[in-house]
């Protein structure tokens, strides 16, 4: 099965010039911890609730700080026509729980989460990916510091 069959299509996209307060408000409304950031019809970053807390608040930035100042610019993604098993393996290797989904012409068309994949009949593969994601020493691991 391809990623396009189980991804979330209706993705709200933040603008890098919006404030982190606006991003947090949108995330709260959507009950989501992540938002893709787009500019000029291209994916330029991703912002998470963790980015707001760690790169924003913990570094003394106020709620009016720009998303651009705290977002991650090294965005990992997958393509809509990739097989779920390949994406799950990649998520485990990258130690991420969600990925933006792009068309082959690199336009954002959705987002896929580990939960999306697990609830679409890929529970065993999702469990394997989660095992990779949960390994110590990832980018956000407390054991690295």
């Amino acid at each position: 099965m391809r990623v396009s069959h189980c991804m979330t299509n209706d993705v709200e996209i933040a603008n890098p010039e919006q404030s982190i307060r606006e991003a947090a408000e949108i995330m709260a409304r959507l009950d989501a911890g992540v938002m893709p950031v787009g500019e000029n019809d291209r994916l330029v970053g991703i912002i998470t609730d963790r980015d707001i807390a760690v790169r924003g608040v913990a570094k003394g930035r106020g709620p009016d700080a720009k998303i651009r100042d705290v977002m991650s610019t090294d965005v990992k993604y997958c393509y809509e026509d990739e097989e779920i098993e390949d994406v799950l393996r990649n998520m485990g290797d990258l130690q991420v729980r969600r990925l933006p989904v792009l068309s082959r012409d690199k336009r954002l068309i959705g987002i896929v989460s580990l939960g999306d994949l697990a609830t679409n009949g890929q529970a065993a593969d999702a469990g394997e990916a989660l095992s990779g994601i949960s390994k110590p020493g990832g980018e956000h691991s407390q054991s690295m510091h």
Side-chain angles (χ1 to χ4, degrees):
M1 183 185 301
R2 297 187 190 276
V3 170
S4 59
H5 291 104
C6 58
M7 68 183 188
T8 300
N9 295 310
D10 228 1
V11 179
E12 191 139 350
I13 302 169
N15 179 299
E17 293 304 311
Q18 285 179 283
S19 71
I20 61 175
R21 176 196 326 259
E22 290 173 281
E25 289 170 347
I26 294 167
M27 287 182 199
R29 179 175 45 81
L30 297 173
D31 191 26
V34 64
M35 279 181 54
V37 181
E39 187 173 48
N40 300 322
D41 200 29
R42 293 290 181 189
L43 182 66
V44 296
I46 198 154
I47 185 166
T48 66
D49 47 8
R50 189 172 195 287
D51 292 330
I52 293 169
V54 174
R55 293 184 185 153
V57 176
K59 296 211 173 170
R61 293 188 168 113
D64 294 324
K66 302 291 184 207
I67 289 174
R68 180 181 308 285
D69 298 333
V70 301
M71 71 183 191
S72 299
T73 56
D74 182 24
V75 182
K76 307 302 184 203
Y77 56 87
C78 64
Y79 291 109
E80 65 182 323
D81 59 358
E82 287 187 66
E83 293 294 326
I84 289 174
E85 296 82 15
D86 296 333
V87 173
L88 280 166
R89 189 172 24 265
N90 193 28
M91 289 171 86
D93 292 345
L94 294 170
Q95 295 187 302
V96 298
R97 295 176 185 268
R98 55 188 71 81
L99 286 173
V101 181
L102 305 182
S103 64
R104 285 291 172 175
D105 62 353
K106 298 229 176 164
R107 304 278 185 222
L108 179 70
I109 60 165
I111 195 160
V112 67
S113 71
L114 194 56
D116 293 334
L117 300 173
T119 58
N120 279 282
Q122 303 296 321
D125 291 329
E128 213 172 294
L130 182 59
S131 174
I133 292 165
S134 301
K135 284 182 185 169
E139 181 181 345
H140 301 294
S141 172
Q142 290 181 1
S143 63
M144 284 183 58
H145 307 289

